[in-house]
Amino acid sequence: MTTTRLTGDALRVTIFIGEHDTYRHKPLYSEIVHRAHAAGLAGASVFRGIEGFGASSLIHTARLLSVNEELPVAVVVVDTPERVRAFLPQLDELVESGLVILDDCQVIRYAGSHSGRRSRRHPGKEKKA
């Protein structure tokens, strides 16, 4: 697997969808992450909201005892502006209802490999090979 190094100017795309949104019977957030990975983008993460509302103006919250409540989900993808913009047509195909936001940002440091580094969970202990 190649190591991605990204420092400096970047573009962040945040996709706000519902946790029950699907694409071909698969969670939409999962499809977005897997496509971002397949496209070789630097990183993608999914965050589940505890409360929010969107175009429907209905407030969705985790405080209610309803198992069927659709909570908001944010998928965040970061890479160079060129690579993120090249990925946007896939989002057009996937996201039927949601909000997509683009933000210019700065990446301080991103390196995809932790080899040779000390574990943060156990300071002072090296990984055994």
Side-chain angles (χ1 to χ4, degrees), residues 43-66:
S45 297
V46 178
F47 301 94
R48 184 174 184 230
I50 58 172
E51 190 166 56
F53 71 92
S56 71
S57 293
L58 296 173
I59 294 180
H60 304 278
T61 180
R63 290 182 289 160
L64 300 175
L65 297 177
S66 172

Side-chain angles (χ1 to χ4, degrees), residues 66-106:
S66 172
V67 176
N68 296 326
E69 189 66 45
E70 169 133 31
L71 295 174
V73 170
V75 183
V76 179
V77 179
V78 177
D79 206 315
T80 64
E82 299 78 22
R83 292 173 64 98
V84 169
R85 290 192 188 283
F87 184 68
L88 293 179
Q90 292 198 53
L91 294 179
D92 287 341
E93 175 189 342
L94 295 171
V95 181
E96 291 181 11
S97 176
L99 178 65
V100 177
I101 296 175
L102 296 173
D103 295 302
D104 293 321
C105 62
Q106 292 286 310

Side-chain angles (χ1 to χ4, degrees), residues 2 4 19 22 33 35 37 45 47 51 53 64 69 78 84 87 91 104 106 114-115 117-119 127:
T2 61
T4 302
E19 71 176 326
T22 60
V33 168
R35 285 197 186 195
H37 184 261
S45 297
F47 301 94
E51 190 166 56
F53 71 92
L64 300 175
E69 189 66 45
V78 177
V84 169
F87 184 68
L91 294 179
D104 293 321
Q106 292 286 310
H114 295 288
S115 62
R117 293 180 59 196
R118 291 183 180 185
S119 170
K127 280 186 178 179

Side-chain angles (χ1 to χ4, degrees), residues 1-23:
M1 178 177 245
T2 61
T3 299
T4 302
R5 298 195 186 281
L6 177 64
T7 301
D9 292 338
L11 189 61
R12 174 179 53 207
V13 58
T14 305
I15 306 106
F16 293 96
I17 55 177
E19 71 176 326
H20 297 306
D21 290 350
T22 60
Y23 179 79

